[in-house]
Amino acid sequence: MTRATIYEVAARAGVSIATVSRVINGYDSIRPATREQVMLAIEQLGFVPNSSARGLSGGSQNIIRLVFKRSQTEDSFELVQESLLFTDAIIRGVERTCGKRGYSLLLGGVDDDNLDGKIDQMVANCDGLILLDRTLKERLVPTVAKRIPTVLLAGSGRSRSAVTVMVENHDSTVQVATHLIEDHRFSRLAFLAGFANSPDSMKRRDAFVDTAQQLGASVESGAGWYSDYTSSGAVRVINERLATGAEMPEAIACANDQAAIGAIHALTQAGLRVPEDIAVTGFDDISMARHMTPALTTVHQPVEELGSVAAEVLIDQAISQRKPVMQNIVLPTRFVIRESCGCKE
């Protein structure tokens, strides 16, 4: 006896193959009457869904791809490598939503070599792309978004061809600068950025520098103060700054927690105490931040939720094949005071 196919179910129910696939995958956007028609056809034909049938939705494969930029700096910190860092938390959030929605997740890293030529590879065998910050130059995003549903995770927020899911960078960073200057009376500060071309890092740096200068403090930033978002990069920056022999700042605000970990390590290795000699703050609130000694004063961003929301938006777009009306989704952040700034928890 020949096994019934999804095409026969669609014909018997008088609906599209895509609708059958959505009923099979449990999507709640289907009208009850339509769902009943499809379920009746499945019962009458004795149809048994399999992995291939579940992927047939107008060419849908129920797969999304998360693409990230490979770091050019290898992070040699064993402790950092073993902890739940930013990208790992993003992946957990994406994976959680994919599992709930019946999708599989593919991961892929890219570098600067022949990036334009890798677009074909990126869009193959998936229903949509989540692109982490700096994966593609902004000029290339419209080209990709025309071919496949695309969501940007972090970035400038200026893209009109793809939804950007990001966090609020400005207000919490203003709180960090204000706390260091007004509550701790620091007047000589530094901002340790991530990458020079990272929109998140630039927003945090600008907010910190502008606020500090308005409050009468001096800030070292720019050339010589880029960590590549890694602990090893931060160690390099701090060691180079110490080698100049110039007076160190009273506090260093870092663009992310991983850099803050490296900064604290380098300062400690040089015989300086944190926060007694130099205060250090971060941004992200990774799991390690609260378990360090001293515990890290930082800005909490909902990292897993970033991944989860990006996946929800992308899957909805892949199913509907329509561009969402909303262009930017901004998730809130909050300032978390611990010990590394000089406060007592």
Side-chain angles (χ1 to χ4, degrees):
M1 180 177 177
T2 305
R3 191 162 110 173
T5 67
I6 193 171
Y7 301 98
E8 293 170 347
V9 172
R12 174 71 66 93
V15 299
S16 67
I17 297 169
T19 298
V20 174
S21 178
R22 290 169 194 166
V23 170
I24 292 170
N25 284 291
Y27 296 119
D28 55 16
S29 58
I30 305 296
R31 289 184 300 176
T34 303
R35 185 184 305 278
E36 189 175 333
Q37 283 177 246
V38 172
M39 294 306 295
L40 179 61
I42 288 174
E43 183 181 351
Q44 290 173 342
L45 293 171
F47 174 72
V48 179
N50 57 31
S51 58
S52 300
R54 289 172 67 87
L56 290 170
S57 178
S60 171
Q61 301 168 79
N62 282 30
I63 297 172
I64 64 175
R65 189 186 298 269
L66 174 66
V67 187
F68 55 89
K69 180 77 173 286
R70 293 193 187 97
S71 174
Q72 300 303 308
T73 304
E74 292 297 326
D75 204 322
S76 58
F77 275 59
E78 181 180 357
L79 186 60
V80 170
Q81 289 176 335
E82 290 177 354
S83 66
L84 181 62
L85 300 183
F86 182 83
T87 303
D88 302 300
I90 289 288
I91 292 170
R92 287 193 179 202
V94 174
E95 240 176 359
R96 184 174 66 243
T97 293
C98 284
K100 288 179 180 177
R101 302 289 298 267
Y103 276 68
S104 298
L105 173 64
L106 291 179
L107 301 176
V110 297
D111 48 40
D112 291 325
D113 296 335
N114 190 29
L115 193 54
D116 294 20
K118 291 180 179 176
I119 292 177
D120 285 342
Q121 181 181 347
M122 288 165 56
V123 304
N125 303 319
C126 65
D127 303 307
L129 296 176
I130 297 176
L131 304 179
L132 265 66
D133 182 24
R134 303 178 310 105
T135 300
L136 285 182
K137 294 180 176 66
E138 284 195 1
R139 64 178 175 81
L140 295 176
V141 172
T143 302
V144 175
K146 284 179 183 177
R147 298 177 58 180
I148 194 169
T150 302
V151 170
L152 306 179
L153 214 164
S156 70
R158 293 191 296 266
S159 175
R160 309 318 300 166
S161 56
V163 174
T164 301
V165 180
M166 61 179 74
V167 297
E168 199 290 312
N169 287 296
H170 181 272
D171 292 352
S172 292
T173 306
V174 167
Q175 286 182 276
V176 174
T178 302
H179 177 68
L180 293 174
I181 296 166
E182 293 191 344
D183 296 336
H184 291 287
R185 303 299 180 186
F186 296 138
S187 60
R188 293 179 292 102
L189 311 175
F191 187 85
L192 182 53
F195 289 100
N197 63 345
S198 165
D200 280 333
S201 181
M202 288 188 288
K203 290 173 186 175
R204 294 166 196 172
R205 181 200 63 197
D206 291 348
F208 187 86
V209 172
D210 290 348
T211 302
Q213 291 177 343
Q214 289 170 15
L215 294 175
S218 64
V219 187
E220 297 181 34
S221 66
W225 284 96
Y226 291 104
S227 69
D228 297 342
Y229 281 133
T230 67
S231 297
S232 296
V235 169
R236 171 186 49 78
V237 169
I238 298 301
N239 286 340
E240 289 176 357
R241 178 62 175 77
L242 287 167
T244 67
E247 186 177 24
M248 291 292 287
E250 297 168 294
I252 301 172
C254 302
N256 69 326
D257 287 351
Q258 195 164 336
I261 292 167
I264 291 173
H265 175 81
L267 292 168
T268 302
Q269 290 294 103
L272 295 169
R273 298 168 301 162
V274 177
E276 291 84 358
D277 297 320
I278 300 181
V280 176
T281 67
F283 198 112
D284 285 339
D285 199 19
I286 60 176
S287 60
M288 183 195 276
R290 65 186 67 92
H291 302 303
M292 293 172 55
T293 302
L296 187 63
T297 293
T298 188
V299 172
H300 175 85
Q301 62 167 321
V303 186
E304 284 198 31
E305 188 180 351
L306 273 172
S308 181
V309 170
E312 288 281 5
V313 171
L314 182 63
I315 292 171
D316 286 344
Q317 187 179 345
I319 291 171
S320 68
Q321 292 298 310
R322 293 193 301 269
K323 280 191 173 183
V325 176
M326 185 179 297
Q327 289 300 313
N328 292 335
I329 298 173
V330 183
L331 303 184
T333 57
R334 58 183 172 84
F335 182 34
V336 180
I337 297 175
R338 297 194 180 104
E339 298 171 354
S340 68
C341 64
C343 288
K344 300 297 182 185
E345 281 195 281

